[in-house]
Amino acid sequence: MRIRTLTLAAASGAALLAAGVLPANASGSPGPASTQEGSVSAADLLAKVTSCSQISHGKYRTDDETSATIPVCGKNGAVFWKADMDIDCDGRRTSKCNEDTDPWYQDDTAFHQSDGSPLRADSLPYVVVPSSSGIWNYSGAGIKGGGVVAVIYHNKVEYAVVGDTGPTKIIGEASYATAQALGIDPDPENGGTDSGVTYILFKNSRVSPIESHSAAVTLGDKLARQFLRNN
């Protein structure tokens, strides 16, 4: 639920140098251990999203300074977009995500854990969707809080949940833990990557409890196999 005003283009070089998973966060809860989750390969998923049937009424920017070039595309059972990745560190305050590490930090997320507390960005892979607007209404497209997302970068697949909402005109943001698992610099101020990320959101899905990454992987793998059969 942040509004970024700085571009992450300068960070792309550093992100491309990331060779693998960064160390687990030091705040007590380990991050996701794998960058190839489930039985479906990145190549198989990407082969199904080579063309776009645009369902959004307009296009999104990746940052405030960029032009609007990113459409939301529709497939059987899913929507997808190809964009950058800004780092969302919102939610529970930790040593990795707080006012000192993140100039845009907010202590809440749009969707909450089963105990009612905000999500934890440095240990839970989650994706940010644009807040509903005239461009696109995510809920009207069957996308829910806790819905499963396959996030693909450099031939790696990470399953995440829909965990937060962002600006109405900007797309391409995920949690610290999502970036970390994919080998992207997760620093909330200077990290991220400015291209090359594919987000496939499975319609009418919901992980329960939302904070269970293992549940997201199990459901995500099932839905990914179904997605390949139906497209």
Side-chain angles (χ1 to χ4, degrees):
M1 292 187 294
R2 66 181 34 169
I3 298 178
R4 287 185 176 272
T5 57
L6 301 176
T7 182
L8 294 178
S12 61
L16 292 174
L17 291 174
V21 179
L22 299 178
N25 69 74
S27 58
S29 179
S34 173
T35 54
Q36 182 59 59
E37 298 184 317
S39 61
V40 179
S41 71
D44 285 344
L45 287 171
L46 290 174
K48 299 296 184 178
V49 294
T50 56
S51 61
C52 175
S53 176
Q54 183 172 330
I55 62 171
S56 56
H57 297 295
K59 296 182 179 181
Y60 289 94
R61 304 172 182 267
T62 56
D63 292 291
D64 282 336
E65 299 88 347
T66 61
S67 56
T69 60
I70 310 297
V72 176
C73 311
K75 299 291 286 188
N76 287 332
V79 303
F80 75 91
W81 56 81
K82 301 180 180 183
D84 65 341
M85 183 183 286
D86 294 338
I87 308 302
D88 190 339
C89 234
D90 293 342
R92 289 176 57 187
R93 186 177 286 101
T94 68
S95 63
K96 299 293 186 183
C97 295
N98 56 66
E99 294 88 345
D100 294 328
T101 62
D102 182 1
W104 305 277
Y105 176 75
Q106 297 182 47
D107 62 0
D108 200 6
T109 48
F111 306 106
H112 292 164
Q113 293 186 170
S114 54
D115 64 1
S117 62
L119 302 181
R120 179 170 173 169
D122 67 0
S123 63
L124 180 68
Y126 71 71
V127 165
V128 181
V129 296
S131 295
S132 295
S133 71
I135 300 177
W136 183 57
N137 181 340
Y138 68 87
S139 61
I143 304 305
K144 306 175 182 180
V148 184
V149 187
V151 188
I152 306 166
Y153 179 73
H154 282 187
N155 292 317
K156 300 173 184 177
V157 179
E158 177 68 11
Y159 288 106
V161 294
V162 175
D164 205 359
T165 56
T168 57
K169 297 182 179 181
I170 295 177
I171 206 166
E173 187 173 6
S175 69
Y176 184 111
T178 310
Q180 182 183 42
L182 290 169
I184 296 171
D185 182 356
D187 181 84
E189 183 171 6
N190 298 309
T193 183
D194 63 358
S195 64
V197 185
T198 299
Y199 304 81
I200 302 175
L201 294 77
F202 299 111
K203 295 180 180 179
N204 300 311
S205 62
R206 179 171 288 169
V207 174
S208 182
I210 189 174
E211 65 269 21
S212 173
H213 181 59
S214 62
V217 175
T218 299
L219 181 57
D221 188 55
K222 175 184 176 181
L223 293 174
R225 286 185 271 113
Q226 182 176 310
F227 177 74
L228 296 186
R229 291 194 300 268
N230 294 341
N231 288 280

